[in-house]
Amino acid sequence: MKSQYISSALPLLLAAFFSFSSAASPHDDFLRCLSFSSNLSSSIANVVYTPNNASYSSILESRIENRRFSDSGTPKPLVIVTPLLESHIQVTIHCSREHGLQIRTRSGGHDFEGLSYIARVPFIVLDLINFRSVDVDVENRVALVQSGAILGELYYKIAEKSRTLAFPAGSCHTVGIGGYFTGGGYGVLFRKYGLAVDNIVDARLIDANGRILDRESMGEDLFWAIRGGGGGSFGIVLSWKLNLVTVPSTVTVFTIGKTLEQNAIKLIHKWQYIAPQLPPEMYFGISFSRTNSSQDGKKSVLASFTSLYLGGTEDLVALMHERFPELGLTSKDCIEMSWIESMLYHGLLQNQSVEVLLDRDYESSFTLPYYKGKSDYVREPIPESGLLGLWSRYSEDDAASGVIGFFAYGARMAEIPETATPFPHRAGVLYKIIYNVGWRQEDNINNGKYLRWIRRLYSNMTTYVSKSPREAYINYRDLDIGTNGIGNTTSYARASVWGRKYFKNNFDRLVLAKTMIDPENFFRHEQSIPPLRKR
Ligand SMILES: Cc1cc2nc3c(=O)[nH]c(=O)nc-3n(C[C@H](O)[C@H](O)[C@H](O)COP(=O)(O)OP(=O)(O)OC[C@H]3O[C@@H](n4cnc5c(N)ncnc54)[C@H](O)[C@@H]3O)c2cc1C
Ligand SMILES: *[C@@H]1O[C@H](CO)[C@@H](O)[C@H](O)[C@H]1NC(C)=O
Ligand SMILES: *[C@@H]1O[C@H](CO)[C@@H](O)[C@H](O)[C@H]1NC(C)=O
Ligand SMILES: *[C@@H]1O[C@H](CO)[C@@H](O)[C@H](O)[C@H]1NC(C)=O
Ligand SMILES: *[C@@H]1O[C@H](CO)[C@@H](O)[C@H](O)[C@H]1NC(C)=O
Ligand SMILES: *[C@@H]1O[C@H](CO)[C@@H](O)[C@H](O)[C@H]1NC(C)=O
Ligand SMILES: *[C@@H]1O[C@H](CO)[C@@H](O)[C@H](O)[C@H]1NC(C)=O
């Protein structure tokens, strides 16, 4: 199986469609519309790419983060537009509607399922690569950031101006602002300051009618919806206004690895009780990787306990001695640094210069080039027997390139009400799990066994994770959820299956916001919020 898209008959139809696209086709009409619609025709021509343009492929490929979706079987856009002006976006929306083409909006291209650049209907990609300014106002502690910027650019620009201001967002610096913010956005400061969306105070959006709206003109329901209701449903968010947060000029990190032989299971079991109760200054996660036992060279699992502490070594060691002495943390394990250095550390960019944060093309070490990810939320500690079961799955050959991570919740995350934003995984969540299985190009022939492994693992975890609904994180997009990989978003019933996993009862309010702003369902994809049917 090349990918779940291929299993449907639709790509075949699309392939047929492509084969006579050199004759007159919908995209010719679309292009003609672009050039006639405004006096922008000359300037927009410079940012419109069809497969005939030499750089079409490189532009398309440059933001395909998951290589599963770069093979020749993956549906390709008829046209890519990389707008320079807001009016370019307005014209693109107008002409797409006029000629029945769908739009996929792309910021950083990190969607786990490639939804920012794949559709199974004729479509164009609107790539926000040129909308990536970041303006930091230290005095007022705010930043204005455009959706096409990456997280690293935001961090870099903040750190350039202040050592004690920060923004609470994710560790992988190449993630795009546009997708990350529309899906909620967690990171190593979230126990202290909540999600990224908890710190957003305004936004600028273009709707399906080409209107440009800010918080005041869009109204609170829509402003609520775009802060976590998922990208690609409500319109195109151009930019965001953020409140910056304060951090000490020195923070502390550590990573301590323990194998099975070093009592990892007991430590992880204990961690579940301790980590969610720690003060908000402490981020605490565990990531699992496979290793060979030092004793007999047999397969084993390495659990890496990793932290960011908003304070110094002495306080951190004292805190750990009091709450989690079994881990045996000593000051030798701790490294003090600035917040921006801690972002390099947690971004797996240790020892690199801070300029790496500006490198959009940096190949992330978080995943292998080809991958599948899933998520879970845990509300009851998993018994040791369950952790052992997880371990044995993880020792299977097919799990060779699997990574599992646990991220402690609690503190600020538990204080913000479930309905404050669309992101509902708040009080009562002990921690979140991410599952990832990756592989390289030369191993792509075996992708089926990796996909089967992660699905098996997910099914195996059912007993231990949140239930009714089994919660999932929208930004760890998973088309297995509720759609069996053949999304049909026109079916409200099916949408509410994944919708309640991602949003719980906030799904209903998202549907109302969608119905209000985009009743014709112009902005849609396999997991976009459906509008209510017209009566
Ligand atoms: C290596 C890696 C590490 C990650 N780490 C974290 C993490 O630490 N914390 C976390 O919370 N998440 C994390 N994620 C998940 C990440 O937040 C999501 O994949 C996010 O959607 C990516 O945003 P993007 O702009 O790069 O993606 P894109 O693929 O460009 O977009 C994702 C979705 O949003 C839509 N969209 C994009 N831009 C806009 C816009 N301007 N307006 C409206 N809709 C838009 C797209 O159409 C698509 O549906 C990680 C992902 C990866 C691959
Ligand atoms: C071209 O667009 C600008 C604004 O974008 C407008 O002021 C101007 O009048 C337009 N010119 C014509 C000939 O339509
Ligand atoms: C793509 O090719 C067309 C036709 O040759 C040309 O008009 C257009 O300017 C090209 N686009 C870019 C971005 O170079
Ligand atoms: C473990 O050992 C095997 C066999 O010696 C080797 O192929 C494998 O790469 C090792 N794995 C790790 C994670 O070191
Ligand atoms: C970073 O440098 C230190 C000291 O030179 C070294 O011990 C460590 O292994 C390096 N880390 C990485 C991730 O390269
Ligand atoms: C995982 O599933 C297998 C069978 O599919 C079962 O034997 C095993 O007990 C399960 N383990 C856990 C931890 O649920
Ligand atoms: C999607 O669902 C709608 C409503 O249930 C149905 O009419 C339509 O045929 C479905 N489309 C596909 C492609 O399955």
Side-chain angles (χ1 to χ4, degrees):
M1 184 174 93
K2 285 214 189 83
S3 89
Q4 56 211 353
Y5 294 99
I6 317 290
S7 61
S8 135
L10 278 167
L12 295 175
L13 295 175
L14 205 57
F17 175 75
F18 274 128
S19 64
F20 48 76
S21 69
S22 50
S25 67
H27 91 274
D28 289 333
D29 294 336
F30 169 78
L31 294 173
R32 218 168 289 126
C33 171
L34 281 189
S35 60
F36 287 139
S37 285
S38 71
N39 66 13
L40 301 164
S41 52
S42 60
S43 73
I44 205 170
N46 298 326
V47 294
V48 174
Y49 301 84
T50 71
N52 295 329
N53 291 89
S55 38
Y56 169 91
S57 293
S58 62
I59 291 185
L60 180 63
E61 294 287 316
S62 64
R63 302 269 83 76
I64 295 186
E65 202 263 345
N66 189 344
R67 308 313 292 178
R68 268 172 78 199
F69 306 117
S70 66
D71 64 6
S72 58
T74 306
K76 303 283 190 281
L78 298 172
V79 179
I80 304 170
V81 182
T82 58
L84 290 163
L85 305 169
E86 290 177 345
S87 53
H88 289 160
I89 302 177
Q90 292 169 309
V91 168
T92 303
I93 292 173
H94 168 79
C95 294
S96 303
R97 285 187 76 166
E98 199 83 337
H99 297 287
L101 300 179
Q102 282 192 19
I103 290 185
R104 291 291 177 273
T105 306
R106 186 163 70 172
S107 290
H110 278 50
D111 193 285
F112 277 15
E113 301 277 15
L115 297 191
S116 56
Y117 49 86
I118 301 170
R120 291 175 293 107
V121 294
F123 72 109
I124 67 158
V125 164
L126 191 81
D127 190 312
L128 295 176
I129 178 76
N130 295 317
F131 274 74
R132 61 164 194 273
S133 70
V134 179
D135 293 302
V136 174
D137 175 350
V138 169
E139 207 167 306
N140 295 305
R141 297 186 177 180
V142 294
L144 266 180
V145 51
Q146 289 186 316
S147 285
I150 57 172
L151 294 179
E153 289 172 306
L154 173 61
Y155 301 153
Y156 183 91
K157 295 274 169 70
I158 295 172
E160 211 177 29
K161 295 197 168 170
S162 166
R163 191 176 162 114
T164 53
L165 289 179
F167 190 73
S171 299
C172 174
H173 76 284
T174 51
V175 166
I177 293 285
Y180 180 86
F181 284 8
T182 47
Y186 81 95
V188 289
L189 295 178
F190 78 142
R191 300 187 73 255
K192 173 80 176 173
Y193 291 114
L195 302 176
V197 291
D198 298 326
N199 298 278
I200 290 173
V201 290
D202 209 335
R204 239 170 115 73
L205 167 132
I206 301 194
D207 74 5
N209 292 317
R211 290 182 305 171
I212 298 183
L213 305 170
D214 65 2
R215 178 174 186 168
E216 196 182 338
S217 54
M218 78 176 76
E220 286 302 307
D221 285 332
L222 184 55
F223 184 61
W224 175 86
I226 60 173
R227 286 174 301 146
S233 280
F234 303 100
I236 296 166
V237 187
L238 299 169
S239 63
W240 312 78
K241 186 176 177 184
L242 323 173
N243 274 342
L244 302 179
V245 302
T246 55
V247 287
S249 61
T250 299
V251 303
T252 306
V253 300
F254 71 76
T255 300
I256 292 187
K258 298 282 183 188
T259 60
L260 283 187
E261 296 74 21
Q262 295 167 320
N263 227 0
I265 294 281
K266 282 218 151 40
L267 287 170
I268 298 160
H269 184 250
K270 188 87 194 280
W271 174 92
Q272 303 176 98
Y273 293 85
I274 293 165
Q277 309 299 330
L278 287 167
E281 286 71 31
M282 176 99 180
Y283 162 84
F284 207 2
I286 313 177
S287 65
F288 306 120
S289 53
R290 283 157 52 113
T291 179
N292 290 325
S293 150
S294 51
Q295 282 147 27
D296 51 9
K298 264 177 42 195
K299 273 185 293 195
S300 182
V301 179
L302 179 71
S304 300
F305 293 82
T306 178
S307 172
L308 169 67
Y309 180 69
L310 299 175
T313 299
E314 211 176 306
D315 290 347
L316 174 57
V317 171
L319 177 68
M320 284 293 100
H321 277 189
E322 184 200 324
R323 304 282 187 94
F324 200 9
E326 299 86 344
L327 188 63
L329 181 77
T330 69
S331 56
K332 276 200 234 91
D333 301 311
C334 299
I335 316 171
E336 294 188 342
M337 53 180 67
S338 64
W339 166 72
I340 195 73
E341 287 162 345
S342 78
M343 292 315 290
L344 295 177
Y345 182 89
H346 281 288
L348 311 180
L349 303 168
Q350 217 187 339
N351 299 347
Q352 305 227 29
S353 97
V354 71
E355 275 69 35
V356 70
L357 293 173
L358 302 175
D359 183 356
R360 308 173 73 90
D361 301 321
Y362 189 88
E363 198 159 314
S364 160
S365 320
F366 283 96
T367 63
L368 289 174
Y370 295 71
Y371 64 87
K372 167 78 187 164
K374 289 178 171 292
S375 61
D376 258 322
Y377 288 90
V378 177
R379 290 176 177 270
E380 302 283 342
I382 300 179
E384 283 186 26
S385 59
L387 294 171
L388 272 168
L390 178 58
W391 250 221
S392 61
R393 275 266 177 263
Y394 200 40
S395 303
E396 294 169 8
D397 288 340
D398 297 350
S401 53
V403 174
I404 298 174
F406 290 4
F407 306 98
Y409 268 52
R412 183 74 188 127
M413 283 303 287
E415 289 167 9
I416 299 173
E418 207 163 287
T419 53
T421 71
F423 182 96
H425 322 289
R426 304 272 192 174
V429 171
L430 299 177
Y431 58 98
K432 185 254 280 296
I433 304 182
I434 171 167
Y435 314 94
N436 184 295
V437 62
W439 59 94
R440 297 182 193 283
Q441 183 169 20
E442 58 272 21
D443 203 17
N444 197 28
I445 185 145
N446 294 319
N447 64 18
K449 77 175 181 188
Y450 298 123
L451 294 171
R452 281 191 298 277
W453 174 76
I454 197 170
R455 287 170 181 147
R456 229 166 34 231
L457 171 69
Y458 187 75
S459 147
N460 235 210
M461 292 299 286
T462 311
T463 341
Y464 304 115
V465 297
S466 61
K467 297 173 185 64
S468 318
R470 180 173 185 175
E471 297 166 58
Y473 179 35
I474 178 77
N475 258 352
Y476 288 175
R477 173 108 51 212
D478 181 2
L479 290 184
D480 294 347
I481 291 180
T483 56
N484 297 324
I486 317 165
N488 179 352
T489 54
T490 60
S491 163
Y492 179 89
R494 288 176 80 176
S496 83
V497 174
W498 52 257
R500 295 202 190 273
K501 292 174 190 288
Y502 288 146
F503 308 114
K504 297 175 78 177
N505 288 338
N506 290 333
F507 179 68
D508 299 319
R509 188 172 170 197
L510 288 170
V511 168
L512 293 179
K514 170 73 175 181
T515 309
M516 179 192 73
I517 192 67
D518 185 21
E520 308 288 333
N521 206 14
F522 173 67
F523 290 107
R524 65 180 187 272
H525 54 69
E526 284 82 346
Q527 287 187 343
S528 58
I529 304 293
L532 290 173
R533 290 260 179 74
K534 273 181 286 191
R535 287 168 180 273

